[in-house]
Structures are given as C-alpha cells and as structure tokens.
Amino acid sequence: MFKHILKRLSLLIPTIFGVVTLVFFMIALAPGDPARVMLGERANAEQIEQLRAELGLDKPLIQQYGLYLSRIVRLDLGKSITSGQKIASEIKERFPATIELAIWAMLFATVLGVLLGVTSAIRRNTWVDYTTMGGALVGVSMPVFWLGLVLIMIFSVWLDLLPTGGRMNIRYFFEPITNFYVIDGIIMWFKEGTPKFLVSALRHLILPTIALGTIPLAIIARTTRSSMLEVLQQDYIKTARSAGIKERRVIYRYALRNALLPVITVIGLQFGLLLSGAILTETVFSWPGIGKWIYVAIGARDYPAVQGGIIFISIFFVLINLVVDILYSVVNPKIRLQ
Amino acid sequence: MNQHEKETLLSIEDLNFSFTTQRGIVRAVRDLSINIKKGETLTLVGESGCGKSVTAHAINQLNPMPPGHVDSGKIVFNGTDLLTLKKSEIEALRGTQISMIFQEPMTALNPVFTVGSQIADVFLTHQDMTKQEAMEKAVELFRLVKIPAPERRVHSYPHQLSGGMRQRAMIAMALASPNPGLMIADEPTTALDVTIQAQILDLLQDLKQHIEMSILLITHDMGVVAEMADRVVVMYAGRKVEEADADSIFHNPHHPYTLGLLNSLPSNKKYKGARRLEAIDGTVPDLLTIGEGCPFANRCVYQTGECSRSFPKETIISESHSVWCHNYQAVKTENRQ
C-alpha cells in the first residue's frame, strides 16, 4: 500500500513537468505581443521595448523557458502585472473560496448522484428511472453559466429567497479567519454567539453549488446507474440473497461497494473539471475565487497571472487524480495487492 | 425401505414457472413435483435450459420476478407453503434453513470483502452475536470444510484463494446456520477441475454425515450423480421425465432421454470394445413454441404419433421408480455393463 503510494507520487514529477511546459508554450506561442497588448495602442516603440526587456520577452524563447523553469522550481510564479502582487499570494488568498465551493458542489453531486443512480437502477424501467435519467440528460446538456443565470433569476430576482452573489452579507462586519467561510461561520458562532455568519455563508453557497454541481451530478447518476445494473446481475449478489442478507444491505453494501469503483474514477475527473467550471460559475455569482480571478486576468491581459493560475489548477487536478487513485485502491482490494 | 419412513422436508407440487419475455411466455418448468426427505440427497439432472436451476431458485425465490412468475403449484417446506410467505419471511429462511451454493466459485463471492467477513455477515444477519464471535464462527466453519490455516484464510479476499478453496468457502457460508435443513447445490463442481471436484464431493458427503441435512444437487454430470445421489430426477425441457433411486437410473433406465444421457458418458470399461461416444441427435426444443406433447418427441427414436399429441402419464415401474413415456416398454434397456 505504502509502496503503491510512493510509486504514484514519483510519477507526479514528470506529469507536472509536462503540464508546466505545456502551459508555457501555450502562452508563449499564442499570437500577439504581450507587451504591446498590455500597453495599449498608444504606446510607442521605446516603451514597448522597455516592457519587453522587463518581462524577459526580448530573450530567445528557449532561454525564456529555462528562466521560467528555474522560477517554477523555486515555487515563484512571478508578479501580477495589474496588481503588482505576488501571484502565489493572490492564489493563496482566493483558493479557499474556490475549494469551498468545489467541495460543496462535489458533495452535492456525489451524494445526490449516487442516490439517484442507485434508485434508478433498482427501479429500472419505471417512471422513477425515466424521470431521473431524463433529468440527468438535461442536466448534463445545460451550460453552467446559463443555469447560473436562470437560478439567479428564479431564486433571487423573482422569489427573492437567496442572494445573487458573493460569499457573505456585505453589511456584516466579518473578518475571515481560515477563508473557508463555513468553518469561519462556525468559529464565529462560538466566539460571538450568533449563527448569522454561518447562515449567511450557507445561503450564499446554495445557488453556486447547484449551478456548479449539476453537470457532475448528472454524470455521476448515470454512471452509478449503469454500474449498479451490471453489479446486480453478478453471482455474488445472488449468493448474498441466498444467504438471507436483507435486500437493503445487499444493495447498499454488497452491490454498491462494487458499483462505486468506476464511479470513484468519474468523481475524481469531475472534481478536476469542476475547477474549470468554476471560472464560469464564479463569474456569474461574483464568487471571489480563482476562477473569477483568472477570468479577470484574461480580460486584463495579465499573462503571468493567467499562466500562474493555469499551472496551479493543473497541478491541483493532477493531485486530485492521485488521491482518487489511492482511494480506488482502498476500495478495491485487487489493486491494493498488486 | 428406511428411506420411505423418513419425513418429507420439501415437496414441490405441480409447479409451473414461466418467464415473460419480449418474444412471448417461456414455460421454464411444467407440472413438476418432487419430494425431498430429511437427510436425503436428491439430484436434478438435465442439460442446460431444462429448468433445473429455475426449479432450485424457485424454492428460495431467487428467480428474478418479474419477468419470472409462478403460474400454479405449491412449494411446501417443513409444512409451510413457501409461495404464500412474505418477502421478509423468505429472507429469514434463506441462509438459516435453506442455503445455497453456486456453480462459479470465482464469481459467487463478493470481490471487495474478505471471505471471513462475508460468512460473519450471514451469522450477524440471523443470530444475535458480536462481530468478534461471528468471525470466530467463520474460522470454525473454515476448519469444518478443511481449509488449511483457517485463522489466516478468513482474512483473504476471494481472488487470493484457489478455485477449490473458494468453493469450500462457499460451502462454509452455506453452513453458517445453527440448523441447516436443505442445501441447494447448483452445479457445485462444474467449474472445478476433476481432482478438486472429487474433493468437494467428498466434503459434501462428509458434511452430510456430520450434519443432518438434505441436499438438492443440480448437475448435468452423471458422474456426480453416481457419486452423490440417493434419488435422481431427470428433467427435460421443463418436465420431469423419469424419477428413480440412483441404482435404477444407472442400471435400469426406462426413458429414452435418460438412456441417451447414460450413453453419452465416456466409460473405461468399454475401452476394449472401442465404443464411439454417443450423442443425442437434434437440439432442445424452443420453450416458446413447445406444444402439449412430450418435449423429447422430436429427438426420440422410439417416437410414435401419440408422443407429439399428449404428455404421457406417470408409469410406476417399481416403488421407487417412475417414468413418463408412452413407449417405455419399447425402450430396450441397453445394459451398459
């Protein structure tokens, strides 16, 4: 088990190297001169040359790449052109918001998706199954930003039940501690004796969670259903039934544990994709996370910020995949022992 | 004679079981009656698709329903008709009084749990005990079915065990009950190689002597029948065609199908005579379009006009031997010795 994890960890290095290289060339080879774009149309040749020198863009590409790699190794992502802040610290500041939203969205998608998938499978070819799977098809086809806007229109504008965006009621005097607002809300409840921060944080989370979680929810439900149907045909399910194990237990322990193997892979992949989905969701809901930050950076032609943001998200994606792999071997004893 | 005085444990009376499919209704079991006495081993013999597994699964209601359904009949176990029981009552019987072992030990054990925990779970379902006690019971059962190093083996996953060992673990699971009454063994040795087969059959014989239980053994292997059976029921296309004690089946078969089955057995004794292995010509009829006549008629060399018109009535050959054939007298008993 330990060896397995070590092996997977050592495979991370070439993967990350590949990611970093890809991101560099993607941006370096994109059309347009960053310096010219940044300075705008009225800048003169001299100013442009100066900025190019500052950014190191006057050097040959291969040398730029070398410099860039040496900075990455020292975990230095550079400075944002627009704010002048270190990119690493900008990411650090915004990342909890993104992760908090992603975790809630994933929890929402996983719990509901697995439940719906299992229900569909055991009620196969009934109206329950048709409704769920039809809904899943609609869910997977819906663009995130559009769904976000529709949710805002219904629940915020028409029904006036939930906030349109942000993470916390702006009238509250609120000093973030961990930057995970739900946790902060709980801490504040203990400190100040009022749950209002927690309630506000949760209320702000509801719509973005649904918007971001709908696609993974649909995919997880469909995967669970088909996997479950396959497992329920297996001999060992018949064995369990023939031994008098209660039907509920047969389904939720004997069958589901096996059916979850492919679902875990999907959950991992979806969690990674969620981070890119976050760019749209965060923008729609003015959620101050990495996604919105990258979106703004793209608009402002802040190349180092875009580069840093993409690298960060990519590495995070790779790490999630590692976690999924390890989780997979915990659930599946066959992998564990190889 | 002793056999007849024993109490009946299970009796299936005029069971009709069919499946609704997209192509029509498949009558998998027709007018089937069998009796199993306490302590007896009854084998159900026939080729694939003859309804022997459906019959076995009908007892503890493991057939998928729908599409399967019981059209008529009774399945009386220890005096109660199982078909009138509620789902929870059937669940309570499974694994306590009626247990089951399956053909494929490779796929019949759950791959993500240790074999010990699967057995312990059966104990925990039916009896009031702690996990620790259940695990100890599992070790005991492993010892009973002669798995070496049982304390260690209970913590193995199915894929870490050999085929024979897995089948032993399956049997142990079927024995995870304070008073196993009936064990249904659905082709328990088909997937195993011959030496392991012999070991498993020995084990079953052995257990039967230790524990007072009846075995309903399903097989298509006449060799297994010879080894295990007290009584034999031969099935063909959903119907019972012959029933007899094991001796009569082998030495005095009256149904042409039984004869065909026996003739298709390879034999050492015939080595000198260089007998070609015989096969029964033709194929099993489609259960969708099968008529009221004898289902074997289209393959039978003794077939007469009557055969395709009606299914024959029971003819009693002796106290322990009955046959369902219009022309059983014409069937020359080809003595195989």
Side-chain angles (χ1 to χ4, degrees):
Chain A
M1 185 67 187
F2 184 66
K3 233 172 134 184
H4 176 74
I5 295 174
L6 262 186
K7 210 172 100 189
R8 293 285 304 137
L9 271 175
S10 64
L11 277 173
L12 270 186
I13 295 162
T15 314
I16 289 174
F17 175 77
V19 163
V20 163
T21 305
L22 208 67
V23 170
F24 173 81
F25 284 105
M26 214 163 65
I27 286 177
L29 299 179
D33 179 357
R36 194 183 295 271
V37 176
M38 278 179 218
L39 291 171
E41 282 171 21
R42 292 195 201 153
N44 58 34
E46 203 178 309
Q47 284 173 310
I48 290 172
E49 257 336 290
Q50 198 191 337
L51 185 61
R52 280 177 65 87
E54 250 173 59
L55 295 174
L57 292 173
D58 53 346
K59 300 195 178 70
L61 194 62
I62 201 76
Q63 196 180 344
Q64 284 183 43
Y65 175 58
L67 283 170
Y68 161 82
L69 275 188
S70 75
R71 278 197 290 115
I72 296 282
V73 168
R74 283 178 274 125
L75 300 178
D76 176 9
L77 292 172
K79 279 181 182 165
S80 159
I81 294 168
T82 41
S83 72
Q85 298 276 328
K86 276 196 170 168
I87 287 167
S89 64
E90 293 227 6
I91 289 176
K92 204 177 124 201
E93 196 179 302
R94 286 171 175 83
F95 190 56
T98 299
I99 275 292
E100 183 169 44
L101 178 56
I103 287 174
W104 281 100
M106 220 49 223
L107 269 176
F108 164 74
T110 306
V111 172
L112 211 59
V114 168
L115 216 67
L116 286 176
V118 170
T119 313
S120 259
I122 51 183
R123 306 261 159 112
R124 178 156 68 133
N125 296 340
T126 62
W127 65 270
V128 181
D129 182 25
Y130 296 139
T131 316
T132 313
M133 286 304 116
L137 188 66
V138 173
V140 88
S141 320
M142 219 149 23
V144 177
F145 61 89
W146 183 79
L147 177 63
L149 290 172
V150 169
L151 286 173
I152 290 175
M153 193 166 78
I154 296 174
F155 291 99
S156 308
V157 181
W158 291 351
L159 301 175
D160 199 17
L161 288 173
L162 295 165
T164 58
R167 294 182 76 190
M168 179 62 69
N169 192 328
I170 42 169
R171 274 172 301 208
Y172 292 167
F173 179 74
F174 179 69
E175 198 76 43
I177 305 160
T178 60
N179 248 326
F180 291 97
Y181 279 19
V182 173
I183 298 174
D184 288 353
I186 294 169
I187 296 173
M188 295 295 271
W189 192 354
F190 279 109
K191 265 167 105 176
E192 307 205 350
T194 163
K196 68 173 185 178
F197 298 105
L198 178 64
V199 171
S200 176
L202 289 175
R203 273 166 49 85
H204 281 81
L205 267 166
I206 294 173
L207 293 184
T209 296
I210 295 173
L212 191 57
T214 295
I215 288 178
L217 163 68
I219 293 174
I220 289 169
R222 293 184 73 90
T223 314
T224 307
R225 176 183 181 270
S226 67
S227 170
M228 197 68 186
L229 281 177
E230 205 186 305
V231 168
L232 285 172
Q233 300 290 320
Q234 299 295 316
D235 287 349
Y236 52 78
I237 296 303
K238 212 187 250 176
T239 308
R241 285 185 182 141
S242 83
I245 309 286
K246 301 264 179 299
E247 190 61 21
R248 270 190 84 81
R249 194 167 167 79
V250 169
I251 286 166
Y252 286 100
R253 183 177 155 90
Y254 284 71
L256 189 57
R257 177 92 181 254
N258 283 283
L260 278 183
L261 295 177
V263 178
I264 287 173
T265 312
V266 169
I267 290 174
L269 286 172
Q270 288 302 316
F271 197 83
L273 289 176
L274 222 62
L275 295 173
S276 57
I279 294 182
L280 295 171
T281 313
E282 288 181 4
T283 307
V284 171
F285 289 97
S286 343
W287 193 263
I290 298 245
K292 184 160 170 276
W293 178 71
I294 290 180
Y295 175 79
V296 171
I298 292 171
R301 301 288 186 274
D302 191 342
Y303 285 86
V306 174
Q307 206 171 44
I310 294 176
I311 288 175
F312 184 79
I313 287 186
S314 308
I315 291 177
F316 193 73
F317 189 91
V318 173
L319 283 174
I320 295 233
N321 272 323
L322 174 73
V323 172
V324 169
D325 259 16
I326 293 169
L327 216 70
Y328 201 78
S329 66
V330 170
V331 184
N332 189 350
K334 279 192 195 175
I335 289 189
R336 202 184 309 165
L337 290 143
Q338 270 158 18
Chain B
M1 283 312 283
N2 206 10
Q3 283 286 338
H4 293 273
E5 286 151 18
K6 284 192 175 168
E7 246 180 285
T8 300
L9 178 69
L10 174 88
S11 76
I12 297 181
E13 295 163 25
D14 290 315
L15 179 72
N16 278 283
F17 197 99
S18 53
F19 290 94
T20 309
T21 69
Q22 285 180 338
R23 287 172 55 221
I25 289 172
V26 174
R27 300 191 60 185
V29 175
R30 303 175 75 175
D31 304 327
L32 184 82
S33 299
I34 52 178
N35 272 293
I36 301 174
K37 297 189 180 70
K38 286 193 174 151
E40 183 185 39
T41 301
L42 179 80
T43 54
L44 217 51
V45 189
E47 55 202 281
S48 311
C50 74
K52 53 192 195 306
S53 285
V54 174
T55 308
H57 285 87
I59 298 169
N60 54 8
Q61 298 178 18
L62 281 177
N63 283 311
M65 299 202 266
H69 44 94
V70 177
D71 300 318
S72 63
K74 278 186 186 169
I75 299 176
V76 181
F77 179 80
N78 266 339
T80 31
D81 185 357
L82 299 183
L83 297 176
T84 62
L85 293 185
K86 277 183 289 190
K87 211 180 154 195
S88 57
E89 293 171 311
I90 280 289
E91 272 178 357
L93 271 182
R94 292 180 190 157
T96 53
Q97 295 181 52
I98 305 175
S99 50
M100 200 155 184
I101 56 180
F102 294 92
Q103 180 171 0
E104 280 284 347
M106 303 294 173
T107 55
L109 290 166
N110 201 316
V112 300
F113 300 111
T114 62
V115 279
S117 74
Q118 291 181 53
I119 294 169
D121 211 25
V122 182
F123 279 116
L124 292 171
T125 305
H126 300 297
Q127 291 170 61
D128 196 20
M129 58 172 77
T130 64
K131 272 190 178 166
Q132 174 101 35
E133 285 167 335
M135 222 40 192
E136 279 161 19
K137 287 264 192 187
V139 174
E140 247 169 66
L141 281 178
F142 265 39
R143 200 168 287 130
L144 185 69
V145 298
K146 296 177 184 140
I147 290 178
E151 294 85 1
R152 204 156 46 83
R153 286 295 180 203
V154 287
H155 299 296
S156 302
Y157 288 94
H159 68 272
Q160 296 169 300
L161 301 177
S162 68
M165 207 97 91
R166 271 182 248 196
Q167 194 56 288
R168 282 169 196 269
M170 277 290 309
I171 295 171
M173 194 163 159
L175 294 173
S177 148
N179 52 340
L182 175 66
M183 182 189 276
I184 303 170
D186 190 353
E187 309 231 8
T189 55
T190 308
L192 304 171
D193 63 57
V194 198
T195 44
I196 308 293
Q197 244 181 55
Q199 289 174 15
I200 294 292
L201 293 179
D202 280 351
L203 173 67
L204 283 175
Q205 289 285 39
D206 223 41
L207 288 172
K208 230 187 80 179
Q209 289 185 345
H210 272 73
I211 309 159
E212 171 82 341
M213 67 174 178
S214 310
I215 299 180
L216 174 61
L217 180 72
I218 296 160
T219 183
H220 58 252
D221 185 342
M222 290 309 263
V224 173
V225 176
E227 184 98 3
M228 297 288 295
D230 296 325
R231 243 160 10 97
V232 184
V233 168
V234 182
M235 278 183 84
Y236 185 81
R239 299 256 199 197
K240 178 162 78 169
V241 294
E242 188 162 8
E243 175 172 1
D245 56 282
D247 229 33
S248 303
I249 281 289
F250 283 97
H251 299 297
N252 192 19
H254 273 66
H255 197 279
Y257 178 63
T258 315
L259 203 63
L261 277 182
L262 290 169
N263 283 340
S264 58
L265 258 185
S267 146
N268 276 336
K269 288 175 191 161
K270 293 277 170 119
Y271 188 69
K272 272 189 193 154
R275 179 178 70 96
R276 273 183 71 92
L277 208 55
E278 280 174 42
I280 305 171
D281 282 335
T283 52
V284 187
D286 188 347
L287 290 176
L288 274 168
T289 54
I290 200 163
E292 285 306 311
C294 171
F296 192 59
N298 66 333
R299 301 171 77 181
C300 184
V301 283
Y302 304 97
Q303 184 230 355
T304 58
E306 183 58 26
C307 295
S308 48
R309 278 195 291 276
S310 68
F311 189 75
K313 293 200 163 46
E314 177 177 6
T315 308
I316 297 168
I317 309 290
S318 75
E319 199 179 350
S320 62
H321 190 172
S322 291
V323 70
W324 285 258
C325 179
H326 288 299
N327 304 310
Y328 71 97
Q329 278 165 321
V331 180
K332 261 206 204 139
T333 311
E334 289 171 28
N335 210 325
R336 287 170 29 82
Q337 268 147 4

